[in-house]
């Protein structure tokens, strides 16, 4: 099936980035959010990136106008009825995602592909509420989407080979390099990255070093572009906690157990860069 129209649900950090690269690749994109304010914010993030790129001379005003013509926001999911591919990038919560997939089952056309950008949750649990398990897949982009080259294509035990190939080609068409992973919590990258970030928090909790020194250590000692605390603020403390909980649920090993400080920060409403409160942004004495 040729993919022409792509519906994206959730216009936060990830959904807006996915919308940007998908519209740039020439697909017609519909972006959905929970209310007008968040939809406007998500759309502004996408169009703001094109304004920034135009201002820097990286794209022409004509290109930016062309991209804008490929994206539209809507609050009405019923408009997704003629999408060939629907990608959800809503909060990392299995109940919310399952509710959404159940809704999509009643809206999406029979042969539409349904994808989740989940960081850690089992794809099969979302597929199970549909009658098209073979066409449900994980399509895991990385943050920031326009700059990170990887997409993990997640095969559930029910995903068909044809679906894998269609989504692998889609990832390539939006400028990414796909890798294929099985439907196990954390897939490839987060299975390695999340325990690393959790270990950094434990190291800080235990007073082994300041967060600044831990970050400097990993940047200068290992050549990482960001230290773990900068990355936690960037990824979102909420998303990291939910992903850690999902991985720990499947692998109850202490390495995946969310540290108390991470829980407390999320309980305090400190989500990182996205709401201006985190380890560095808007920090007091955490
Ligand atoms: N579209 C296109 N280009 C954009 C852009 C956008 N939306 N936003 C910024 N850019 C461009 C900028 O114009 C800039 O280009 P120039 O330098 O030519 O002007 C370029 O991108 C770099 O911008 P910055 O100066 O902001 O970037 P930087 O050099 O400081 O690098 C970074 C930023 C790429 C984020 C780098 O710090 C990095 O790689 N950090 C690590 C990120 C990472 O590990 N991500 C994975 C997180 S885990 C995850 O995603 C999985 C999960 O499930 C949680
Ligand atoms: P975010 O909090 O920035 O954005 C989520 C957005 O989804 C919010 O704007 C929210 O209003 C919207 N939303 C929630 N329920 C909705 C619904 N039913 N319908 C429409 N919109 C809804 O989160 P994010 O960082 O963009 O993460 C989204 C997904 O992508 C999560 O599954 C996360 O695990 C995954 N992910 C995150 C990262 C990252 O670095 N932040 C990287 C890869 C994957």
């Amino acid at each position: 099936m040729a993919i022409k129209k792509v519906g994206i649900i959730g216009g936060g950090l990830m959904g807006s980035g996915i919308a940007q690269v998908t519209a740039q690749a020439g697909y017609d994109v519909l972006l959905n959010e929970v209310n007008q304010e968040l939809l406007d914010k998500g759309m502004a993030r996408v169009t703001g990136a094109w304004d920034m790129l135009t201002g820097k001379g990286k794209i022409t005003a004509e290109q930016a106008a062309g991209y804008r013509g490929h994206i539209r926001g809507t609050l009405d999911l019923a408009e997704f009825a003629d999408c060939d591919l629907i990608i959800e990038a809503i909060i990392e919560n299995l109940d919310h995602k399952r509710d959404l997939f159940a809704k999509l089952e009643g809206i999406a056309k029979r042969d539409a592909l349904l994808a989740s950008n989940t960081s850690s949750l089992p794809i099969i649990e979302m597929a199970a509420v549909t009658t098209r398990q073979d066409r449900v897949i994980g399509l895991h982009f990385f943050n920031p989407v326009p700059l990170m080259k990887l997409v993990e294509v997640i095969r559930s035990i029910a995903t068909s080979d044809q679906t894998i190939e269609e989504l692998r080609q889609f990832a390539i068409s939006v400028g990414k390099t796909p890798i294929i992973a099985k439907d196990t919590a954390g897939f490839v990258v987060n299975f390695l990255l999340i325990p690393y970030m959790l270990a950094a928090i434990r190291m800080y909790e235990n007073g082994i070093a300041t967060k600044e020194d831990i970050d400097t250590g990993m940047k200068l000692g290992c050549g990482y572009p960001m230290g773990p605390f900068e990355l936690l603020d960037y990824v979102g403390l909420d998303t990291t906690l939910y992903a850690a909980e999902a991985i720990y649920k499947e692998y109850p090993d202490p390495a995946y157990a969310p540290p108390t400080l991470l829980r407390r920060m999320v309980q305090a409403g400190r989500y990182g860069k996205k709401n201006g409160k985190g380890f560095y942004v808007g920090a007091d004495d955490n």
Side-chain angles (χ1 to χ4, degrees), residues 20 49 52 56 58 119 140 142-143 146-147 190 193 225-226:
Q20 181 191 332
M52 179 271 292
K56 285 186 173 183
K58 288 187 158 189
S119 298
H140 187 210
F142 288 76
N143 184 17
L147 303 185
N190 282 337
L193 181 66
M226 289 178 173

Side-chain angles (χ1 to χ4, degrees), residues 9-15 32-34 38 45 77 88-93 96-97 100 103 116-121 140-143 190 234-236 238-239 243 274:
I9 306 172
L13 289 178
M14 296 305 291
N32 170 262
E33 255 292 350
V34 287
L38 287 167
R45 213 178 278 128
L77 261 194
E88 73 76 20
I90 70 167
I91 186 173
E92 187 74 346
N93 176 292
H96 287 62
K97 289 194 194 276
L100 180 59
K103 241 186 242 167
S116 171
N117 185 54
T118 178
S119 298
S120 57
L121 297 164
H140 187 210
F141 288 82
F142 288 76
N143 184 17
N190 282 337
Y234 197 78
V235 163
D238 52 342
T239 300
K274 71 169 99 171

Side-chain angles (χ1 to χ4, degrees), residues 236-254:
L237 274 54
D238 52 342
T239 300
T240 307
L241 173 63
Y242 306 145
E245 285 173 337
I247 301 176
Y248 185 63
K249 195 169 167 204
E250 193 150 305
Y251 302 99
D253 177 306

Side-chain angles (χ1 to χ4, degrees), residues 65-83:
Y67 297 159
R68 279 171 204 270
H70 276 287
I71 184 165
R72 191 162 64 76
T74 178
L75 291 177
D76 186 6
L77 261 194
E79 287 201 50
F80 281 45
D82 63 347
C83 287

Side-chain angles (χ1 to χ4, degrees), residues 244-276:
E245 285 173 337
I247 301 176
Y248 185 63
K249 195 169 167 204
E250 193 150 305
Y251 302 99
D253 177 306
Y256 306 108
T260 305
L261 178 59
L262 178 62
R263 269 191 206 291
R264 292 292 176 267
M265 289 187 71
V266 174
Q267 285 160 348
R270 299 182 188 193
Y271 299 156
K273 195 173 163 216
K274 71 169 99 171
N275 75 345

